[in-house]
Amino acid sequence: ALATTSLVNDRLIVTYGASRNRFSQASTSLNHNQRTGVTSAQTSVPQKILYKDLVQYSALFKPLPNVSVFYGYNVNFAANQIQFGEFLPPQEGKQTEIGVKTEWLGGRLNISASYFDIKQLNNTVQPFPQTTPVSFILVNGVTSKGVDGDIAFAVTRSLSVIGSFAIFDARSAVHFPWNATPQPGDGRTYTAMPVNNVSERSFSLWGRYKFTEGRLKGLSIGVGLNNVAKRAITDNANLIF
C-alpha cells in the first residue's frame, strides 16, 4: 500500500507506504553416484515460512519554486537460506537520505546533493574450506554513510557539462577473534574493516559538444574523466584485509 498527499499548494508532498512479505521455501534432494551407480535415500526439508513487514516514507518541500528539499527512509529485506532445518536470520537493511535539488538559469543549470546513511545486516557467504553439508556464515553489519551529488550545466545549445562526486565511509563490523588478529596487510588489528573493492572517494566529469548546424549537424563528441580512490581488498566476509 502506498499513499501520497500534497499540501500547501503542492509545495509539500508526503508519501507513506507499507508492505507485508511472505517467503516460503522447501527442498527435496536425491543424490546419484554415477561411478558406483548408487542412489542415496531422498532427503527433504519441510516448508518453512517467513513473514516480514516493511515501511517507507518520504517528504519533499519546495521553499522556493526552483529549490526542493527532500527526506526519505526505507527498509529492505531478503530471506536467507535454510540451514540445518531453520531459516538463517534474514538480510535486513535501513536507508535514510536527506538532500536538496535546485534548478537555475531557466533549467540550464541543475544541482543536487544529498547525505545518506545505509545499514545492512546478515549478509551470507560460504565458509572456506566449505563444509559438508554446505553451510553459510553471516557477515557482520555493513554500514555506508556520506555525501554525493551532481551538477548538469547546458553552457550553450551545443555544449553541456555533467559532473558528479561521492565521499563516504563503508565499513564492516569485526568481532572476536578477528578483531584481535593482526591483519596481513599492515599488521594492525581492527574493530571495523573497509568493504571489499569499494572506492570511498570518486569524482567524474563529462563534457559533450553537439553540432546543431552545418554538415556535421546531429553529431556529438564527448570526453570524460573518472577518478576513484584506492580500494581495499578483503575476503568475501570482510574479515581479512
Side-chain angles (χ1 to χ4, degrees):
L2 185 66
T4 301
T5 183
S6 298
L7 306 167
V8 198
N9 295 324
D10 291 337
R11 293 175 60 189
L12 175 62
I13 301 175
V14 179
T15 301
Y16 181 85
S19 64
R20 174 77 164 169
N21 299 268
R22 179 185 183 275
F23 185 90
S24 63
Q25 179 173 309
S27 67
T28 300
S29 61
L30 192 67
N31 296 321
H32 176 74
N33 189 321
Q34 292 181 331
R35 184 174 62 85
T36 63
V38 176
T39 300
S40 66
Q42 177 175 293
T43 60
S44 299
V45 175
Q47 184 184 46
K48 299 291 182 179
I49 300 176
L50 188 64
Y51 291 94
K52 190 66 178 180
D53 298 325
L54 304 179
V55 298
Q56 66 181 71
Y57 47 85
S58 64
L60 184 145
F61 179 64
K62 300 187 71 171
L64 298 172
N66 61 327
V67 178
S68 298
V69 179
F70 63 89
Y71 169 84
Y73 173 84
N74 68 77
V75 180
N76 62 69
F77 154 82
N80 273 324
Q81 297 87 348
I82 290 178
Q83 183 161 285
F84 309 128
E86 297 293 337
F87 273 115
L88 287 171
Q91 298 179 33
E92 297 184 71
K94 298 179 180 180
Q95 176 172 333
T96 302
E97 185 175 13
I98 184 171
V100 59
K101 295 184 178 182
T102 63
E103 181 181 278
W104 304 90
L105 304 178
R108 290 171 50 208
L109 176 62
N110 291 271
I111 303 173
S112 68
S114 63
Y115 169 82
F116 60 88
D117 187 343
I118 304 171
K119 297 179 176 64
Q120 195 77 26
L121 302 176
N122 298 329
N123 296 328
T124 58
V125 296
Q126 294 187 8
F128 181 84
Q130 182 52 267
T131 60
T132 302
V134 175
S135 64
F136 298 87
I137 60 176
L138 296 176
V139 175
N140 297 315
V142 176
T143 62
S144 178
K145 63 175 72 175
V147 295
D148 62 6
D150 57 70
I151 178 172
F153 183 33
V155 183
T156 66
R157 287 182 56 198
S158 301
L159 178 63
S160 59
V161 178
I162 299 174
S164 64
F165 73 93
I167 302 173
F168 63 97
D169 291 317
R171 292 290 182 268
S172 178
V174 179
H175 299 303
F176 184 82
W178 298 99
N179 63 346
T181 303
Q183 291 296 318
D186 55 14
R188 298 168 55 190
T189 57
Y190 291 85
T191 57
M193 291 274 222
V195 178
N196 181 45
N197 203 30
V198 172
S199 174
E200 299 178 331
R201 307 288 185 273
S202 64
F203 169 78
S204 65
L205 184 65
W206 175 262
R208 186 191 71 165
Y209 186 87
K210 181 178 181 180
F211 294 91
T212 56
E213 56 186 35
R215 298 180 61 183
L216 296 179
K217 182 178 181 179
L219 174 66
S220 295
I221 298 176
V223 61
L225 169 71
N226 186 42
N227 179 269
V228 294
K230 291 181 179 180
R231 288 169 283 186
I233 301 300
T234 71
D235 67 348
N236 285 338
N238 297 119
L239 294 176
I240 300 177
F241 178 22

